[in-house]
Amino acid sequence: MHEARVALGKRLRELRRRADMSGRQLAESLSWPPSKVSKLENGRQTPTDHDIREWTRVTGSEAETEALLASLHTLEVQHAEWQRQLRSGLKAHQQEIAGLDARTRFFRAFESTFIPGLLQTAEYAQYRFAQSVAVFDVRDDVHEAVAARMRRQEILYRRDKRFHFVLTEAALRYRLCPPEVMLGQLDRLVSLSALPNVRLGVIGFEAAYPVAPAHGFWLLDDDRVMVETFSAELNLAQPQETRLYGRLFEQLASIASYGRSARAIVTRVVDDLAAHVPGVIEGGE
């Protein structure tokens, strides 16, 4: 992200020098503080579309505008701030992801803190979206977003798609929703793991990790890695990055339990959780 912003700044500096303008002259012609020119050229500030159009206009390099805008928009995709992404609502973002789903054939996901969206029940998803509304202070269209996520899940039943999910036992135990909602979610996990194109692995607490489960991530084919932070969604597409995350996923998947062993971990979580739900006995009955 920083390297791409610095590279864009260098291109802007080249256009200014080609126009035989000093940084102060360019700033004065645009009624900008001189510090803004310096920050843009040194990659300390990301330009807006308007900044780039004004820069190329003043330096007489309008022919470079579209190429510079393309570089800027690629930069924005790499680091998509949630506040900006969710400006149009939670539902709109789900619809955007559905477009990625349609183009992807092989999904690999590692999650250490929560259940992946494609495996969530509507009730669990509601609590996840409600958190986004509270944290980012965006429009509350939780019910519409939940419906959009449920429609996305239809992709799980397409035989031309393959899915490999690896979850930590901690992700099954974190209290991110009421216990009764989590019980329904755990039951849903077991059901979906029976699908022929879905492989579900669970890393139990007793497993020795070859690499720390620092954060969750998605691998879409071998083309893109998606990482969610508190402030932004990172989209990584450099070959060395996708190869690195591919290796990390294989290492984490290698210590996960599958099939009957994975279901045994889920069952022990259910039994522990059931003790906190009145009227539910061990075994989920």
Side-chain angles (χ1 to χ4, degrees):
M1 174 69 182
H2 175 68
E3 290 175 357
R5 191 163 51 219
V6 168
L8 180 57
K10 287 181 179 178
R11 292 175 67 184
L12 294 174
R13 183 186 298 115
E14 289 170 2
L15 296 181
R16 173 179 62 76
R17 289 176 173 173
R18 192 187 303 169
D20 196 25
M21 297 179 72
S22 68
R24 182 171 295 276
Q25 288 173 325
L26 187 143
E28 289 175 352
S29 65
L30 293 172
S31 300
W32 289 355
S35 60
K36 179 172 179 176
V37 173
S38 175
K39 289 177 181 177
L40 290 175
E41 290 188 347
N42 289 287
R44 296 197 303 273
Q45 179 177 328
T46 303
T48 64
D49 285 21
H50 181 70
D51 290 340
I52 285 179
R53 289 194 175 94
E54 288 294 277
W55 193 292
T56 55
R57 178 182 64 81
V58 169
T59 57
S61 49
E62 288 93 337
E64 303 287 337
T65 303
E66 292 306 315
L68 289 168
L69 287 173
S71 295
L72 172 62
H73 297 160
T74 298
L75 185 65
E76 292 173 338
V77 167
Q78 289 175 337
H79 185 274
E81 295 179 357
W82 289 122
Q83 199 73 44
R84 176 167 52 83
Q85 285 228 90
L86 303 179
R87 189 178 301 152
S88 301
L90 300 162
K91 176 186 175 182
H93 184 57
Q94 287 301 300
Q95 293 172 329
E96 182 180 340
I97 297 175
L100 281 176
D101 292 344
R103 297 191 295 272
T104 303
R105 290 290 176 265
F106 184 29
F107 300 75
R108 285 166 289 174
F110 169 73
E111 290 292 0
S112 57
T113 54
F114 52 82
I115 308 302
L118 286 178
L119 302 180
Q120 292 176 5
T121 63
E123 294 78 12
Y124 184 94
Q126 184 172 347
Y127 282 92
R128 302 301 309 129
F129 285 129
Q131 176 183 302
S132 295
V133 170
V135 170
F136 303 114
D137 192 26
V138 294
R139 183 163 61 90
D140 185 347
D141 61 346
V142 168
H143 295 298
E144 293 86 348
V146 169
R149 176 163 286 178
M150 295 303 104
R151 287 193 294 272
R152 279 183 57 214
Q153 292 183 1
E154 294 173 5
I155 201 171
L156 293 169
Y157 302 94
R158 287 182 48 176
R159 297 300 180 91
D160 61 329
K161 308 282 190 179
R162 293 187 299 131
F163 305 87
H164 187 173
F165 299 98
V166 176
L167 312 179
T168 65
E169 183 174 346
L172 310 184
R173 291 182 178 274
Y174 282 131
R175 299 295 180 86
L176 303 179
C177 61
E180 59 271 19
V181 172
M182 197 63 196
L183 283 174
Q185 178 61 72
L186 295 173
D187 183 65
R188 171 78 168 158
L189 281 183
V190 173
S191 298
L192 291 177
S193 69
L195 292 176
N197 58 334
V198 173
R199 191 176 185 212
L200 175 65
V202 181
I203 303 177
F205 282 142
E206 69 281 357
Y209 280 84
V211 58
H215 59 76
F217 59 89
W218 285 72
L219 274 160
L220 307 182
D221 293 323
D222 291 317
D223 303 325
R224 180 189 293 217
V225 179
M226 296 176 66
V227 180
E228 294 184 358
T229 72
F230 274 110
S231 62
E233 176 187 272
L234 307 182
N235 289 269
L236 312 177
Q238 295 293 331
Q240 66 269 25
E241 293 173 320
T242 57
R243 286 195 298 268
L244 169 63
Y245 276 91
R247 291 195 301 271
L248 291 171
F249 184 84
E250 291 306 314
Q251 288 180 290
L252 292 164
S254 70
I255 61 168
S257 297
Y258 295 88
R260 188 173 299 174
S261 298
R263 288 192 291 274
I265 297 174
V266 176
T267 298
R268 78 187 183 202
V269 176
V270 167
D271 289 343
D272 291 344
L273 195 58
H276 300 277
V277 181
V280 177
I281 63 174
E282 291 186 2
E285 297 178 2

